[in-house]
Amino acid sequence: KAGGAVVNGLKGFAAASTAVGGFGAAAVKTGAQFDSTMSEVQALTGATGNDFTKLRDKAKEMGATTVFSASEAAEAMTYMGMAGWKTEDMLGGISGIMNLAAASGEDLAITSDIVTDALSGFGMQAKESGHFADILATASSNSNTDVAMMGETFKYVAPVMGSLGYTAEDAALSIGIMANSGIKASQAGTTLRSIVTRLATDAGASSKSLGALGIVTEKLGVEFYNMDGSARPLTWVLEDMREAWKGLTVEEQNNYAKKIAGQEAISGFLALMNAEEGTWNDLAASIENCGGAADRMAKIKLDNLAGDVKMLQSAFEGLQITLSDALTPTLREFAQFGAEAMNQLNLGFQQGGIDGLMSSLEQVVS
């Protein structure tokens, strides 16, 4: 019996050792991948010393407190780095991006790419990413579109609208209204870009006919520019146009729509003009009062078993990275020593054959 107990104990110890060893190996692999991604962030941002430590700690904090892992947070940071964000930008902006990703169900890295690109287009600062996330979360949840499609729209229209001083709120309202009529993603982007560009440049104007801007100002009685030459908020312009539109005949509406928007963008423009008043006002009010929307939506979507499991997985990875941090210095020393030893053995064999190899081996082990 005693012998059997010893054997069973040894088997149990072996099994436990194997399990611990397997977890340790998995932890080191996870930590190595995390560090590899953070090194990419460092290369993109130039962060060193305390700045890099802050970024690494922030990624780990996000992994411990959100449904996204530290590795996913690190990957999101690479997109921020590619957009020119620096340490303080990332520290202040990543929470909003992660809330938006959680609220929308989109991939975190893709969401980061969408937000960083759009912020640049609108001339917004990284610290405004939380507010921008709230705008997208609100618009996508109150109209027939989603964050990914809105991101595709922004690719086309954000730089143009930003150059005119238009806000992300302006864009989100128009995008949401068009989406309700089935005009989404890149089609919405090219449509809105055409409308804005044609108005700003008075496209189609000649000595014999009014252009896009002329139709708006002279036929509809709507001012596009302020007295100082700056563009009025697009939402104000569109609301004034919608009011004037009610007094036109069908023939006038069709003719003016083609002149203002261009042939390819007529459908989107008419969607903006003909949207129901209640739909327009409700979406506009939601966007105006969007503060905290992404955070609230994220918490609601994750308040279930699936969300709990994601939190568990994220926390588990955090444990693996912590263990890896403890083991990595020793493992790096070993790996570096091994690499140098292999180089010496290789060089010894090249220079002296077997004798040279053995001589190098003696030096390595001495």
Side-chain angles (χ1 to χ4, degrees), residues 320-342:
Q320 289 181 308
I321 292 174
T322 298
L323 178 59
S324 176
D325 286 347
L327 298 174
T328 292
T330 300
L331 292 175
R332 288 198 65 187
E333 288 182 8
F334 176 77
Q336 292 166 4
F337 169 78
E340 179 61 28
M342 294 304 104

Side-chain angles (χ1 to χ4, degrees), residues 118-125 128 162:
L119 285 178
S120 297
F122 283 107
M124 298 173 69
Q125 298 180 5
E128 297 176 273

Side-chain angles (χ1 to χ4, degrees), residues 76-254:
M77 285 181 175
T78 64
Y79 286 94
M80 299 176 196
M82 286 187 283
W85 287 24
K86 299 304 180 185
T87 300
E88 293 305 317
D89 296 329
M90 292 183 181
L91 294 176
I94 191 170
S95 295
I97 291 173
M98 296 183 83
N99 280 335
L100 178 60
S104 64
E106 298 291 345
D107 177 83
L108 177 58
I110 292 175
T111 303
S112 179
D113 193 27
I114 289 172
V115 173
T116 52
D117 286 350
L119 285 178
S120 297
F122 283 107
M124 298 173 69
Q125 298 180 5
K127 64 183 180 181
E128 297 176 273
S129 62
H131 176 58
F132 187 75
D134 290 337
I135 294 172
L136 265 65
T138 299
S140 62
S141 64
N142 286 278
S143 61
N144 191 20
T145 186
D146 59 37
V147 170
M149 287 190 285
M150 291 187 73
E152 187 67 19
T153 302
F154 283 131
K155 288 181 182 179
Y156 295 86
V157 78
V160 175
M161 295 188 72
S163 69
L164 289 168
Y166 291 147
T167 65
E169 288 91 338
D170 278 328
L173 176 58
S174 294
I175 292 169
I177 293 297
M178 287 191 293
N180 289 338
S181 295
I183 301 167
K184 311 174 186 180
S186 59
Q187 183 185 4
T190 55
T191 294
L192 191 54
R193 181 179 63 185
S194 176
I195 294 169
V196 171
T197 302
R198 289 179 64 84
L199 286 172
T201 60
D202 197 18
S206 70
S207 59
K208 297 181 179 180
S209 64
L210 294 173
L213 182 60
I215 293 293
V216 169
T217 57
E218 296 190 30
K219 297 297 184 180
L220 301 183
V222 175
E223 294 299 326
F224 183 78
Y225 290 108
N226 293 308
M227 293 296 293
D228 61 4
S230 61
R232 293 179 65 215
L234 182 61
T235 298
W236 295 4
V237 173
L238 292 176
E239 287 177 343
D240 289 346
M241 290 171 65
R242 281 168 50 82
E243 189 61 33
W245 204 254
K246 299 173 184 177
L248 302 178
T249 65
V250 173
E251 181 180 7
E252 288 175 326
Q253 289 181 349
N254 289 331

Side-chain angles (χ1 to χ4, degrees), residues 50-93:
N50 190 49
D51 280 349
F52 181 68
T53 299
K54 287 180 180 179
L55 289 176
R56 193 175 187 279
D57 288 346
K58 188 66 174 180
K60 291 173 65 177
E61 176 194 333
M62 293 293 97
T65 59
T66 72
V67 293
F68 297 105
S69 67
S71 294
E72 289 174 315
E75 187 178 356
M77 285 181 175
T78 64
Y79 286 94
M80 299 176 196
M82 286 187 283
W85 287 24
K86 299 304 180 185
T87 300
E88 293 305 317
D89 296 329
M90 292 183 181
L91 294 176

